[in-house]
Amino acid sequence: MNCPCGTQKTYSECCEPAHKNISSVTTAEQLMRSRYTAFVMANGDYLMESHHSSTRPTSEKDAIVSWAKSVSWIRLEALETTKGGPSDTEGTVSFNALFLENGEVDVIREKSAFVKENGHWTYVGYAT
Ligand SMILES: [Zn+2]
């Protein structure tokens, strides 16, 4: 199966290594992709693990998982990236995540901020 994040690689070659070991993720874009795939798969544990501890929505985990399961994910469009490379400690990634909710296409358009915490990339929130 092709990875849900749209790289044309299989899940086992793309986001699965991230889901098994977040420290294997080398770039902010890869982390963003692995989080999209975790939404598609309703992998709440990874969504929490990949969140920076300062903004991690632990109390909303169940609601996030329920919502992720309730929609049909269409595709991810990765747009601009700043920094976020293997030797960086911060970066931003802009993306569109398209999904079908209650029969209508909706889209999350976001410029996200990522920083490294405990030696691996994490999602902080909206970039300013
Ligand atoms: Zn992927």
Side-chain angles (χ1 to χ4, degrees):
M1 134 185 139
N2 273 357
C3 194
C5 81
T7 47
Q8 310 293 328
K9 294 183 203 166
T10 61
Y11 171 64
S12 62
E13 292 173 321
C14 185
C15 290
E16 189 177 28
H19 293 169
K20 288 188 166 165
N21 174 15
I22 197 167
S23 297
S24 71
V25 174
T26 56
T27 68
E29 181 181 331
Q30 209 180 351
L31 190 87
M32 184 278 287
R33 289 181 173 282
S34 70
R35 282 180 50 80
Y36 173 83
T37 300
F39 270 101
V40 175
M41 297 181 163
N43 181 344
D45 290 339
Y46 186 77
L47 290 173
M48 294 301 117
E49 185 184 21
S50 60
H51 224 291
H52 192 269
S53 61
S54 67
T55 52
R56 185 176 294 144
T58 309
S59 63
E60 293 162 46
K61 180 181 170 186
D62 290 349
I64 291 167
V65 168
S66 301
W67 177 77
K69 283 181 184 164
S70 75
V71 303
S72 298
W73 293 92
I74 300 171
R75 69 173 181 276
L76 174 68
E77 299 170 349
L79 307 171
E80 266 190 275
T81 297
T82 63
K83 297 191 199 162
S87 60
D88 293 316
T89 54
E90 56 175 42
T92 67
V93 183
S94 303
F95 65 88
N96 295 332
L98 287 84
F99 59 95
L100 199 61
E101 184 168 21
N102 302 321
E104 291 189 28
V105 175
D106 205 344
V107 57
I108 298 169
R109 296 177 200 280
E110 188 173 319
K111 182 179 181 184
S112 301
F114 297 87
V115 300
K116 278 184 183 162
E117 182 178 49
N118 301 325
H120 65 75
W121 285 105
T122 61
Y123 168 67
V124 183
Y126 299 115
T128 48

